[in-house]
Amino acid sequence: MAEFVGAVDQGTTSSRFMIFDHAGNEVGRHQLEHEQILPQPGWVEHNPVEIIERTNACLQSALNSTGLSASDLVALGVTNQRETTVVWNRRTGRPYYNAIVWQDTRTDRIATALEREGKGDVIRRKAGLPPATYFSGGKIQWILDNVDGVREAAERGDAVFGNTDTWVIWNLTGGPHGGRHVTDVTNASRTMLMDLETLDWDDELLSFFGIPRQMLPEIKPSSSPDAFGATLATGALGGEVRITGDLGDQQAATVGQVCFAPGEAKNTYGTGNFMLLNTGNELVRSESGLLTTVCYKFGDEPVVYALEGSIAVTGSAVQWLRDQLGIISGASQSESLARQVEDNGGVYFVPAFSGLFAPYWRSDARGAIVGLSRFNTNAHLARATLEAICYQSRDVSEAMSKDSGVALDVLKVDGGVTMNELCMQIQADVLGVPVSRPVVSETTALGAAYAAGLAVGFWKSTDELRENWNEARRWNPQWDEAKRDEGYAKWKKAVERTLDWVDVQ
Ligand SMILES: Nc1ncnc2c1ncn2[C@@H]1O[C@H](COP(=O)(O)OP(=O)(O)OP(=O)(O)O)[C@@H](O)[C@H]1O
Ligand SMILES: [Mg+2]
């Protein structure tokens, strides 16, 4: 009898495959990084073929290392880096261009023009998003406008679009030979092309970007027994397993953190940070720079919405210390280096590498390190990097309290950066509320597994999932109010120094 659920997590820096049991415990995993292609300042690409090869290798290795086979899996969930855009030929399976990653800012002119032409308000109202380089719509337009032959191919019905969930599912279910061209409501809500109320592609929004409707995948619920097809018997899993869950990574983490009631929130610390607050069946429009997005839709149940604070650069600032500056040799060393000093020594680092996302939405911002004096060392910079992760999260959490009227009483966290004890202590200090991390910190893959398992009755209800959540670690605030206020005021000042840097007209 099949006793496990599998989850593909196709992330920004890596792809992984994880296998969970009924208690939500991990029984196996394999993870492989892929290349970050950086052709010029502001451009970030991935090779979609490499992504599929790595994903397949993860499926095979995780099965091999656990001694399991496809028949042990009751269902498969898929979760993904959101917004990242792939356009490929549905007859050959070949991409027309590299995947344009969510962090990529090449579409800043497209985003600025939308605002200038007065289309911004329509996008905000229908899609719940501000016009920004972040989302898929402008990236699809860029490919249609700049890659030879793609517009004609799209009009013929050969060129199709997908985020990486769609790309992975299409390939797992047969590719050019009958692959399913589908996505889920959470991913679709990140394109600037879906109406949040109808949950369908919107012709007016499509017209803003000149995108032919036939390029787009069919929109499905996030959890459904028959929406996404099954893996091929001849594929990497070596057997047919039904794909019954599909969610963007941040929504998946919200499910993995069992934030099923309105008012429940989580913050995930990966490449960037993403705080999501479940607002129930109510579509809350942000007045404070947050996004309105779909949280999940389970089968025929009503859709659940969320408010989201997206921060582009957090864990990737730590990678930058490692790869570009070379002042640490691994991510965890950011902690030991930062611990060499008592405080930031006056240094603030605003890593606005992709402009500033929530709550500022300023594509004209670029990174700045301010407050330097001769006294400062690498250790201060490491400390300032960890603080930047926490201060950006405070910006977002303030916006959330304003929009929802609910003050945070504890922050549920997950993701790679939460392994950094010092960073999590600073987070509690900067916010003034306790920070809590669950036992299973891979909540993204877990949430995709939950969505898949719910669809086939492996888990009966969200209440059953709640019982799987257990706290592993908690950090309590230690700073006094005065110190907290002073630090935050300086941070705000540092943010101002990054604005109006790039001329985008
Ligand atoms: N001990 C640590 N201290 C600080 N940062 C860390 C630590 N360990 C990992 N990180 C950072 O966490 C990030 C990876 O986290 P995680 O594995 O959750 O991200 P991810 O899910 O792979 O991201 P994505 O889904 O965007 O690919 C990296 O950016 C890395 O720099
Ligand atoms: Mg991830």
Side-chain angles (χ1 to χ4, degrees):
M1 203 190 79
E3 296 173 274
F4 305 103
V5 178
V8 174
D9 175 1
Q10 199 305 291
T12 309
T13 51
S14 69
S15 304
R16 53 194 118 179
F17 180 59
M18 299 192 61
I19 303 168
F20 296 97
D21 65 14
H22 193 264
N25 292 318
E26 174 183 335
V27 297
R29 82 157 92 180
H30 198 77
Q31 176 172 358
L32 291 170
E33 292 199 1
H34 53 263
E35 190 189 351
Q36 303 297 311
I37 303 165
L38 309 168
Q40 45 177 290
W43 291 32
V44 187
E45 299 177 0
H46 296 154
N47 176 353
V49 175
E50 183 189 22
I51 282 180
I52 288 301
E53 287 169 359
R54 300 275 151 108
T55 301
N56 284 334
C58 288
L59 292 169
Q60 279 163 348
S61 299
L63 283 187
N64 287 344
S65 63
T66 50
L68 297 173
S69 68
S71 61
D72 296 307
L73 303 178
V74 61
L76 193 69
V78 174
T79 179
N80 60 304
Q81 51 170 325
R82 307 169 303 172
E83 301 98 11
T84 296
T85 295
V86 189
V87 176
W88 71 95
N89 182 315
R90 73 159 98 225
R91 299 189 194 287
T92 64
R94 275 199 294 275
Y96 287 99
Y97 193 75
N98 275 336
I100 303 184
V101 178
W102 57 275
Q103 300 148 321
D104 190 294
T105 57
R106 79 184 67 187
T107 56
D108 49 12
R109 280 194 185 80
I110 295 177
T112 320
L114 289 167
E115 204 67 271
R116 197 174 52 237
E117 292 161 12
K119 295 168 179 163
D121 284 341
V122 181
I123 298 175
R124 270 184 281 271
R125 179 166 48 81
K126 287 190 169 174
L129 310 170
T133 59
Y134 182 20
F135 310 108
S136 310
K139 300 181 198 290
I140 304 172
Q141 181 185 338
W142 190 93
I143 292 175
L144 287 168
D145 289 348
N146 291 282
V147 183
D148 276 350
V150 179
R151 185 168 293 282
E152 296 72 23
E155 269 147 21
R156 272 201 316 272
D158 288 348
V160 292
F161 152 78
N163 294 123
T164 62
D165 63 321
T166 301
W167 172 242
V168 165
I169 293 171
W170 187 79
N171 277 284
L172 287 177
T173 57
H177 312 291
R180 293 275 190 116
H181 188 219
V182 287
T183 189
D184 91 303
V185 277
T186 68
N187 274 292
S189 78
R190 319 293 299 186
T191 56
M192 296 200 277
L193 306 174
M194 188 186 82
D195 184 318
L196 278 178
E197 287 180 36
T198 64
L199 303 180
D200 196 5
W201 305 119
D202 181 87
D203 287 327
E204 184 181 19
L205 295 176
L206 290 176
S207 75
F208 289 174
F209 300 92
I211 297 172
R213 196 178 175 111
Q214 67 261 30
M215 285 186 85
L216 304 177
E218 228 181 296
I219 303 175
K220 303 287 188 181
S222 323
S223 168
S224 164
D226 48 21
F228 307 107
T231 60
L232 289 187
T234 52
L237 277 180
E240 282 186 31
V241 181
R242 259 193 296 170
I243 303 173
T244 56
D246 176 15
L247 292 155
D249 55 4
Q250 299 310 321
Q251 284 86 346
T254 311
V255 169
Q257 287 270 30
V258 299
C259 297
F260 295 124
E264 291 185 323
K266 66 87 202 179
N267 199 19
T268 299
Y269 298 66
T271 303
N273 264 32
F274 302 86
M275 195 183 293
L276 269 78
L277 172 76
N278 181 321
T279 61
N281 307 127
E282 193 192 351
L283 205 165
V284 178
R285 297 194 181 277
S286 177
E287 307 273 315
S288 319
L290 302 175
L291 310 178
T292 307
T293 201
V294 177
C295 195
Y296 53 83
K297 177 170 164 53
F298 292 156
D300 299 330
E301 288 171 35
V303 63
V304 172
Y305 294 103
L307 278 170
E308 171 175 325
S310 332
I311 305 166
V313 180
T314 57
S316 55
V318 175
Q319 289 175 330
W320 183 74
L321 298 184
R322 183 194 64 188
D323 301 337
Q324 268 75 19
L325 297 194
I327 66 169
I328 53 174
S329 56
S332 62
Q333 218 194 322
S334 63
E335 178 164 357
S336 46
L337 182 59
R339 279 192 192 279
Q340 290 176 9
V341 287
E342 285 290 294
D343 55 33
N344 65 15
V347 176
Y348 287 78
F349 171 27
V350 186
F353 297 156
S354 303
L356 284 168
F357 283 18
Y360 305 100
W361 299 106
R362 292 289 295 258
S363 50
D364 58 334
R366 284 299 179 272
I369 299 169
V370 296
L372 290 170
S373 63
R374 182 70 198 264
F375 163 77
N376 295 123
T377 65
N378 283 349
H380 293 119
L381 183 56
R383 170 112 195 175
T385 306
L386 302 183
E387 289 189 1
I389 296 174
C390 303
Y391 280 124
Q392 292 188 93
S393 292
R394 171 145 178 201
D395 283 339
V396 160
S397 116
E398 303 251 315
M400 246 167 214
S401 318
K402 268 191 221 143
D403 276 344
S404 67
V406 183
L408 208 61
D409 53 1
V410 53
L411 182 69
K412 275 185 176 180
V413 301
D414 55 78
V417 182
T418 65
M419 293 301 137
N420 191 313
E421 295 273 340
L422 175 62
C423 188
M424 290 302 102
Q425 181 58 52
I426 297 172
Q427 185 67 84
D429 289 337
V430 158
L431 284 174
V433 299
V435 168
S436 162
R437 191 182 68 206
V439 173
V440 179
S441 65
E442 290 286 347
T443 54
T444 302
L446 182 63
Y450 280 169
L454 278 173
V456 295
F458 183 71
W459 288 290
K460 301 285 176 259
S461 69
T462 51
D463 286 342
E464 197 178 2
L465 300 178
R466 275 188 190 281
E467 285 164 26
N468 286 350
W469 194 95
N470 291 298
E471 181 173 270
R473 184 89 173 79
R474 180 175 280 245
W475 294 268
N476 290 306
Q478 291 170 354
W479 287 1
D480 61 30
E481 279 306 320
K483 185 163 180 186
R484 183 157 32 250
D485 291 348
E486 191 193 323
Y488 192 52
K490 276 272 169 52
W491 165 258
K492 294 290 247 186
K493 228 165 135 175
V495 167
E496 278 170 33
R497 301 291 188 271
T498 69
L499 305 178
D500 277 324
W501 190 257
V502 180
D503 303 314
V504 270
Q505 272 322 310

